[in-house]
Amino acid sequence: MTDNDAAVNRLVALMPNTDKETHRKITETQTRHRIKLVKEWAIADASSVLEIGCGQGDTTVVLADAVGSKGKITGIDIAEEDYGSPLTVGQSMQHLKNGDIGDRIDYHFNTDITKPEADVYSGYDVAILSHCSFYFNYPEDLVNIFANLRKKAKTLCFAEHLAYVPESKDQLPHFLALSIHAQIQARVGSQRANIRTLFTPDMIRTACENAGWKIKREFQVETPELQDAGWEVSDLLRIKDQELMDAAKGDKKWLELIKAHLQILKDVRQRVNHCDTLPTWGFVAE
């Protein structure tokens, strides 16, 4: 067993619902990926970290381990505590809070970091957005959050799936799925969808610059084994015609366009051997 394997096992043991083999394997893969991200960000011991979009705590637990007993993680999420399944985000974070490193973790749901009442969250060493930007309802949300965090932290760390030209044909289904999800949500505006807005690296760089941050270093992490591609492709291939008709709201041209894109996705998925997750692109800014 390598040191990294030992770290993964130790952190997975702190996560909820890992007594079931299938869920444990998912958690192991997701945790291994987030260990890579935290290493790229070079989170220092004893750091104070403000995590935006903490969700179920997949990144939170790795951050809490990285900062050590003298560090502190504050998780913020705009979602309600009952969001998510099979466990809600509230249940998952409370499990972490009750665990061995829970004294390093605070979390607050139903909280918009850009609102005046969130000004109490300030003075952090690092602010982090880890795989949460696609949840934003509007592109301008990213600029607003980056600008707000300029007043709350010294360093900004970011990571998201690379919404760009796939590097291999096995990544093409994931790329298409991200685009189709975003097109559907642009019309539907669901507050519970996982993919609501799509950002390219250039869009994110511009938002960062406009908010007053300067990117010091960029990185890319290859993790094709992440389950995200499979989840997002499967969700689309299961979508019912009636759901699309409801979303179209009488716009037949849009309906036929989305159906064509879904057919392309189905054909591509049948032609590739694997459904690989796109790389993760990230940066550190000051």
Side-chain angles (χ1 to χ4, degrees):
M1 180 182 292
T2 66
D3 290 343
N4 193 55
D5 289 333
V8 169
N9 290 336
R10 175 167 47 80
L11 294 175
V12 167
L14 298 173
M15 296 293 287
N17 203 29
T18 54
D19 54 328
K20 299 175 182 178
E21 184 62 23
T22 300
H23 193 273
R24 182 178 179 83
K25 288 185 178 298
I26 292 173
T27 305
E28 286 175 352
T29 303
Q30 296 288 333
T31 301
R32 195 177 300 276
H33 171 63
R34 282 159 175 81
I35 288 174
K36 293 179 182 179
L37 297 182
V38 171
K39 286 182 178 178
E40 290 287 350
W41 291 326
I43 303 300
D45 185 64
S47 293
S48 59
V49 178
L50 179 62
E51 184 191 1
I52 307 302
C54 60
Q56 294 185 323
D58 293 328
T59 303
T60 311
V61 67
V62 182
L63 290 169
D65 184 66
V67 301
S69 59
K70 295 182 180 179
K72 193 69 176 178
I73 310 298
T74 302
I76 301 291
D77 205 302
I78 201 168
E80 301 285 347
E81 287 199 29
D82 63 354
Y83 177 83
S85 68
L87 290 180
T88 67
V89 291
Q91 290 171 325
S92 184
M93 289 296 285
Q94 188 57 48
H95 181 92
L96 293 180
K97 183 69 176 172
N98 294 338
D100 292 344
I101 58 176
D103 58 341
R104 310 173 195 176
I105 300 171
D106 283 325
Y107 64 89
H108 306 274
F109 290 104
N110 194 25
T111 300
D112 185 340
I113 197 64
T114 65
K115 299 297 184 183
E117 56 266 28
D119 287 346
V120 295
Y121 307 110
S122 61
Y124 290 88
D125 295 315
V126 186
I128 285 179
L129 290 86
S130 174
H131 290 291
C132 67
S133 65
F134 290 164
Y135 285 86
F136 296 165
N137 292 315
Y138 304 99
E140 56 265 31
D141 289 349
L142 187 64
V143 178
N144 293 339
I145 288 175
F146 280 174
N148 187 274
L149 292 177
R150 198 74 184 91
K151 301 176 291 183
K152 291 179 167 60
K154 302 171 185 175
T155 301
L156 175 66
C157 297
F158 180 92
E160 188 56 270
H161 293 305
L162 183 61
Y164 202 63
V165 179
E167 296 178 352
S168 77
K169 64 179 182 179
D170 289 335
Q171 295 171 351
L172 186 55
H174 191 200
F175 176 75
L176 291 172
L178 291 180
S179 177
I180 297 169
H181 273 298
Q183 290 180 64
I184 292 174
Q185 292 311 314
R187 178 168 290 259
V188 175
S190 171
Q191 299 298 304
R192 303 189 75 84
N194 291 341
I195 311 295
R196 305 175 195 174
T197 303
L198 207 57
F199 295 101
T200 66
D202 279 346
M203 293 170 68
I204 298 167
R205 291 186 189 101
T206 299
C208 194
E209 180 180 342
N210 290 344
W213 293 97
K214 184 175 182 180
I215 294 177
K216 297 297 185 180
R217 185 172 61 85
E218 297 184 13
F219 63 86
Q220 186 168 309
V221 172
E222 305 287 339
T223 321
E225 68 274 15
L226 279 175
Q227 298 88 354
D228 300 60
W231 293 332
E232 287 150 15
V233 170
S234 296
D235 282 349
L236 286 173
L237 296 182
R238 287 196 300 264
I239 199 167
K240 302 288 193 298
D241 283 347
Q242 187 59 52
E243 294 178 68
L244 293 176
M245 291 175 65
D246 291 343
K249 300 176 182 177
D251 188 337
K252 293 182 179 180
K253 184 175 182 180
W254 180 88
L255 179 61
E256 292 306 315
L257 178 63
I258 291 297
K259 283 185 174 181
H261 286 177
L262 288 171
Q263 186 60 53
I264 292 170
L265 174 62
K266 183 178 180 180
D267 292 345
V268 169
R269 181 64 190 94
Q270 291 173 343
R271 294 184 184 189
V272 298
N273 296 323
H274 304 282
C275 187
D276 289 349
T277 294
L278 289 162
T280 294
W281 172 82
F283 66 76
V284 177
E286 294 178 353

